[in-house]
Amino acid sequence: MPSVFVQGRPVDSYPRLAPEARLGRVRRITEVGEEVLHKPCRDVTEFGPDLAALIDDMFLTMYTADGAGLAANQVGVDLRLFVYDCPDDEGVRHVGHIVNPVLEPLDAAHRRLLDEGEGCLSVPGATMDVPRPDRAVVHGYDRDGEPLVIEGTGYFARCLEHETDHVNGQVYLDRLSGRERKDALRQMADRREAVFERRAANIAALSG
């Protein structure tokens, strides 16, 4: 099996960072509690250079924050869009973006729930177990408006589900009990400063 899939298609080789990142600029990542994260995003209706530039910025911002995925509302833009660079449980790397993503409902007979650790760049420093299906199929479009279907399993499925939640106005804390949510927010308070120090170091390294 190929070791890298880009936009759902196998490729022979791929750089450490998606080429889009070299064209982007780092944007501030929004944090839990900010309104833009807690309401459904608008559909993308215009495909062109502004959308392409946003995707470039999102890739670079994701890399500087050591993320596996990033939704547009995490950089303060309420559009249905996310980028990703994420491995699955077999170590296959998946890289791409998807516009106006919609998660396909899966028959319960063909899925199983995995209760595993999950974090979020908008909840810096916190990690909690979240049950999610081990398979995901997302329908949407690429930056040029061409139809796109991305399928993932294991950790990559979790990424697709997590980012689709974001564009629907949900953060993973919304899937936790009240006690678990408080625990995650305590983790964030304790670790947030260290997370931001690492992000600053990453920005300096990528700029050098």
Side-chain angles (χ1 to χ4, degrees), residues 26-102:
V26 178
R27 299 200 186 196
R28 174 185 172 271
I29 296 177
T30 54
E31 294 186 38
V32 63
E34 296 185 42
E35 183 181 4
V36 71
L37 289 175
H38 302 283
K39 63 179 183 179
C41 294
R42 297 178 293 118
D43 281 346
V44 173
T45 57
E46 295 185 14
F47 295 80
D50 289 345
L51 179 66
L54 174 59
I55 291 170
D56 296 342
D57 292 353
M58 289 170 62
F59 267 108
L60 182 59
T61 302
M62 177 182 69
Y63 288 133
T64 59
D66 296 321
L70 186 72
N73 58 352
Q74 291 185 275
V75 292
V77 179
D78 68 331
L79 289 176
R80 295 182 62 84
L81 160 68
F82 67 79
V83 302
Y84 59 88
D85 189 338
C86 182
D88 61 26
D89 289 357
E90 281 70 50
V92 177
R93 181 184 177 195
H94 299 267
V95 187
H97 66 273
I98 188 160
V99 179
N100 296 338
V102 176

Side-chain angles (χ1 to χ4, degrees), residues 5-198:
F5 282 76
V6 178
Q7 295 296 97
R9 300 183 181 90
V11 298
D12 293 330
S13 63
Y14 201 72
R16 184 175 67 88
L17 303 181
E20 292 93 333
R22 304 189 185 282
L23 304 173
R25 64 180 178 87
V26 178
R27 299 200 186 196
R28 174 185 172 271
I29 296 177
T30 54
E31 294 186 38
V32 63
E34 296 185 42
E35 183 181 4
V36 71
L37 289 175
H38 302 283
K39 63 179 183 179
C41 294
R42 297 178 293 118
D43 281 346
V44 173
T45 57
E46 295 185 14
F47 295 80
D50 289 345
L51 179 66
L54 174 59
I55 291 170
D56 296 342
D57 292 353
M58 289 170 62
F59 267 108
L60 182 59
T61 302
M62 177 182 69
Y63 288 133
T64 59
D66 296 321
L70 186 72
N73 58 352
Q74 291 185 275
V75 292
V77 179
D78 68 331
L79 289 176
R80 295 182 62 84
L81 160 68
F82 67 79
V83 302
Y84 59 88
D85 189 338
C86 182
D88 61 26
D89 289 357
E90 281 70 50
V92 177
R93 181 184 177 195
H94 299 267
V95 187
H97 66 273
I98 188 160
V99 179
N100 296 338
V102 176
L103 199 61
E104 180 180 302
L106 298 179
D107 188 329
H110 296 95
R111 67 173 190 173
R112 65 189 179 107
L113 287 179
L114 296 180
D115 196 5
E116 295 182 345
E118 189 167 324
C120 179
L121 300 183
S122 293
V123 192
T127 304
M128 298 294 293
D129 286 348
V130 182
R132 291 195 188 269
D134 67 343
R135 178 172 172 265
V137 180
V138 179
H139 298 255
Y141 301 88
D142 67 15
R143 67 170 68 197
D144 299 314
E146 295 298 319
L148 188 64
V149 180
I150 302 295
E151 181 172 347
T153 59
Y155 185 67
F156 181 47
R158 180 172 296 272
C159 174
L160 294 173
E161 293 152 359
H162 179 112
E163 301 306 330
T164 303
D165 270 0
H166 270 305
V167 302
N168 291 332
Q170 277 196 313
V171 294
Y172 84 92
L173 301 186
D174 297 329
R175 295 184 174 273
L176 304 178
S177 69
R179 177 178 296 179
E180 291 168 335
R181 181 184 176 93
K182 288 180 181 177
D183 184 11
L185 292 175
R186 277 195 296 268
Q187 291 182 37
M188 176 178 162
D190 291 342
R191 302 169 183 170
R192 182 176 179 276
E193 185 175 340
V195 169
F196 276 82
E197 288 176 357
R198 286 198 302 275

